[in-house]
C-alpha cells in the first residue's frame, strides 16, 4: 500500500483532508480533572487497534493525500511498543510522503523517549502544561508530577525538538498562572497555546460548566501585562496566534466553542478503536476497524474512509460560554484524541 497513490480525500465542502490525528490509546498515566474521572474504565484491549492496524490505516490516509499526522491519546507514550509505530511512520516523513509527524503528550515520559522521537523524524511536539505550580499541577492531573514533566520538556528541548505548550484555561483554577506561563515560555523559547475547556464526556461533578473561561477574556487579561500583536501565522491546526512583544514568542488561542474555525478544517480524527470522526463536535463516525479486520487487502478500508469523508459536516455544534453549557459530546477526549 505504502507506495500506491489513491484519489485525494475531498469533502462535500471542497475541503481537502490533509491532516490526521490518531489516538493510539485511551489509557493514560494522569487523570486530568477535565479529561477523565479518577476511576476510568478503559476499553478492552481487543477493541483497540493493534500497532500494525494503526500503521495500515495511516498508510492508506497518507496514500490518499494526508501530509500531517499527529499522534495523541490518552497518553501516546504509555502505549507499549509505541516507538515501533512511530519509527514506521517516521519512514513516511523520511521519504517525503509526510510533511509533519508530531505528537501531543503530557510530558511525563519524555525523559525516556525524547531522543528516540527525534531519531524517528519528529521535529516538534506539543506538551500539555496547565500550571507551573506543583500543588496545582498535582490537583489538576491527579497523578502527575510537575518536576517529571518539566524534566521531560527540557529533555525534549535538548534532543532538538521544538516545543509548543498547551494550556487548558480554567476559571478560578489556573487563571492566576497565565502570566507566569507566558513569561516561562518566553524564557524557554516555546509557543504557548491556550485551549478553551470543552464539554467532553459525562463528568459526574459538571466541573467544567463552572470553570468555562472564554479565551477572549484570557486574551484581554494577558493584554494588560503583555504587548500582543496579532499575526497571520497559522499552523494546520485551529489556533490563532499573537506575538508577545516582550518575549518574541507566540501565544495562540484555540476556542472551538466561541470562534468558528470550521471553514478551513482539513482535519479528521481516528479513535484508538478505529472510529473515524470527521468533526470533533459531531457524533457521526465511520467504523474502520471492521473493514481493517475483515480483509488484509485495503479496498474495504479505502471505501469506508471515502464514505466518512463524504459525510464530513460543515461545522461543529459546540454551545458554550453560557451557564447552560451542554455536553456537546458524550465522548471522553482520551478516546477521540485531543
Ligand atoms: N495525554 C496527552 C496530553 O495530555 O497532551 C494527549 C491527549 S490529551 C486528550 C490532548 C489535549 O486535550 C491536551 O492538551 C489536553 O489538555 C486537552 N484536553 C483534554 N480534555 C479537554 C477538555 N475537556 N477540554 C479542552 N481540552 C481538553
Ligand atoms: Fe491523560 Fe492527556 Fe487526558 Fe490528561 S489530558 S488525562 S494527560 S489524556
Amino acid at each position: 500500500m505504502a507506495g500506491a497513490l489513491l484519489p485525494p480525500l475531498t469533502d462535500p465542502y471542497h475541503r481537502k483532508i490533509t491532516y490526521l490525528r490518531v489516538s493510539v490509546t485511551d489509557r493514560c498515566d494522569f487523570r486530568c480533572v477535565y479529561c477523565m474521572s479518577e476511576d476510568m474504565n478503559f476499553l478492552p484491549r481487543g477493541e483497540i487497534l493493534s500497532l500494525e492496524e494503526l500503521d495500515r490505516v495511516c498508510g492508506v490516509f497518507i496514500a490518499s493525500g494526508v501530509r500531517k499526522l499527529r499522534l495523541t491519546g490518552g497518553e501516546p507514550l504509555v502505549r507499549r511498543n509505541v516507538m515501533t509505530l512511530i519509527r514506521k511512520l517516521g519512514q513516511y516523513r523520511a521519504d517525503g510522503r509526510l510533511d509533519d509527524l508530531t505528537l501531543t503528550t503530557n510530558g511525563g515520559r519524555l525523559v525516556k523517549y525524547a531522543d528516540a522521537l527525534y531519531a524517528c523524524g519528529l521535529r516538534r511536539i506539543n506538551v500539555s502544561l496547565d500550571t507551573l505550580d506543583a500543588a496545582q499541577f498535582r490537583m489538576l492531573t491527579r497523578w502527575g508530577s510537575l518536576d517529571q514533566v518539566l524534566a521531560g520538556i527540557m529533555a525534549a528541548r535538548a534532543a532538538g525538538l521544538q516545543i509548543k505548550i498547551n494550556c487548558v484555561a480554567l476559571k478560578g483554577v489556573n487563571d492566576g498562572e497565565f502570566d507566569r506561563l507566558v513569561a516561562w515560555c518566553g524564557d524557554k523559547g516555546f509557543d504557548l497555546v491556550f485551549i478553551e475547556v470543552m464539554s467532553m464526556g459525562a463528568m459526574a461533578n459538571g466541573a467544567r460548566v463552572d470553570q468555562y473561561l472564554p479565551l477572549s477574556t484570557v486574551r484581554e487579561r494577558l493584554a494588560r501585562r503583555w504587548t500582543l500583536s496579532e499575526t497571520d501565522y497559522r499552523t494546520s491546526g485551529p489556533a490563532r496566534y499573537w506575538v508577545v512583544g516582550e518575549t518574541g514568542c507566540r501565544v495562540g488561542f484555540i476556542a472551538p466553542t466561541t470562534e468558528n474555525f470550521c471553514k478551513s478544517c482539513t482535519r479528521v480524527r481516528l479513535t484508538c478503536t478505529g472510529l473515524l470522526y470527521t468533526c470533533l463536535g459531531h457524533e457521526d463516525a465511520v467504523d474502520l476497524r471492521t473493514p481493517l479486520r475483515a480483509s488484509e487487502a485495503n479496498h474495504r478500508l479505502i471505501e469506508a474512509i471515502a464514505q466518512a469523508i463524504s459525510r464530513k459536516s460543515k461545522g461543529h455544534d459546540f454551545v458554550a460560554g453560557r451557564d447552560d453549557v451542554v455536553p456537546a459530546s458524550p465522548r471522553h477526549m482520551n478516546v477521540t484524541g485531543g
Side-chain angles (χ1 to χ4, degrees):
M1 167 49 46
L5 267 191
L6 296 167
L9 301 168
T10 307
D11 78 4
Y13 305 96
H14 309 292
R15 295 171 298 193
K16 231 167 142 188
I17 305 307
T18 54
Y19 183 178
L20 174 66
R21 288 185 175 221
V22 184
S23 173
V24 299
T25 178
D26 62 332
R27 288 158 170 80
C28 188
D29 47 354
F30 292 4
R31 291 288 182 279
C32 301
V33 292
Y34 47 75
C35 178
M36 293 191 186
S37 55
E38 191 155 21
D39 56 347
M40 284 291 284
N41 286 321
F42 292 107
L43 296 161
R45 286 188 199 277
E47 288 189 21
I48 308 262
L49 296 188
S50 68
L51 294 173
E52 293 72 24
E53 288 168 337
L54 285 166
D55 180 41
R56 236 177 98 195
V57 187
C58 291
V60 168
F61 272 101
I62 291 164
S64 309
V66 159
R67 303 291 307 175
K68 174 169 176 177
L69 217 146
R70 176 178 296 278
L71 303 183
T72 178
E75 172 49 39
L77 296 180
V78 303
R79 171 103 196 221
R80 192 178 302 161
N81 296 327
V82 72
M83 289 313 298
T84 57
L85 173 68
I86 298 179
R87 220 166 281 124
K88 283 190 177 161
L89 297 175
Q91 286 303 316
Y92 291 110
R93 193 178 179 280
D95 64 24
R97 279 177 288 173
L98 267 185
D99 297 328
D100 201 6
L101 172 61
T102 184
L103 180 84
T104 302
T105 174
N106 64 24
R109 296 191 179 203
L110 280 175
V111 168
K112 179 172 174 193
Y113 287 118
D115 287 330
L117 291 172
Y118 189 89
C120 290
L122 273 81
R123 290 296 174 266
R124 38 185 223 92
I125 56 171
N126 288 23
V127 185
S128 301
L129 179 66
D130 302 325
T131 176
L132 287 164
D133 178 279
Q136 190 174 76
F137 185 87
R138 171 55 66 127
M139 186 273 287
L140 276 173
T141 60
R142 293 199 187 98
W143 297 0
S145 147
L146 179 65
D147 283 348
Q148 196 183 339
V149 168
L150 294 181
I153 292 173
M154 292 313 140
R157 186 168 76 156
L161 293 165
Q162 204 183 317
I163 291 156
K164 191 183 283 176
I165 300 294
N166 283 353
C167 169
V168 175
L170 297 161
K171 186 163 78 185
V173 182
N174 66 345
D175 42 359
E177 282 287 293
F178 298 162
D179 285 328
R180 179 144 78 132
L181 277 165
V182 171
W184 182 81
C185 286
D187 182 48
K188 307 290 180 213
F190 305 153
D191 285 350
L192 169 63
V193 173
F194 289 97
I195 305 174
E196 209 164 71
V197 72
M198 284 189 273
S199 45
M200 306 288 290
M203 306 291 281
N205 58 9
R208 280 152 304 143
V209 177
D210 308 337
Q211 292 169 358
Y212 175 76
L213 176 60
L215 294 189
S216 50
T217 308
V218 175
R219 199 161 60 222
E220 274 162 32
R221 286 193 207 160
L222 289 179
R224 289 183 208 150
R225 158 94 188 264
W226 306 94
T227 315
L228 302 182
S229 324
E230 192 163 3
T231 128
D232 54 10
Y233 170 82
R234 293 299 294 250
T235 63
S236 41
R240 288 173 57 200
Y241 287 90
W242 276 253
V243 173
V244 182
E246 290 79 357
T247 69
C249 288
R250 283 180 282 251
V251 274
F253 300 88
I254 301 182
T257 54
T258 53
E259 294 182 28
N260 190 339
F261 57 61
C262 302
K263 250 194 336 258
S264 57
C265 179
T266 58
R267 294 175 294 277
V268 293
R269 293 163 191 267
L270 182 70
T271 70
C272 54
T273 58
L275 283 178
L276 183 65
Y277 283 94
T278 55
C279 174
L280 187 60
H282 279 267
E283 287 314 302
D284 186 31
V286 167
D287 166 33
L288 301 187
R289 190 178 63 200
T290 304
L292 251 176
R293 293 187 177 170
S295 159
E296 281 179 19
N298 283 334
H299 53 275
R300 291 176 66 175
L301 176 62
I302 293 165
E303 262 172 44
I305 293 172
Q307 193 203 359
I309 304 300
S310 75
R311 295 194 336 221
K312 183 166 162 69
S313 64
K314 195 170 179 187
H316 63 61
D317 289 338
F318 287 114
V319 185
R322 308 192 308 259
D323 290 345
D324 60 343
V325 59
V326 290
S329 170
R331 279 176 269 142
H332 274 275
M333 191 70 122
N334 64 308
V335 174
T336 320

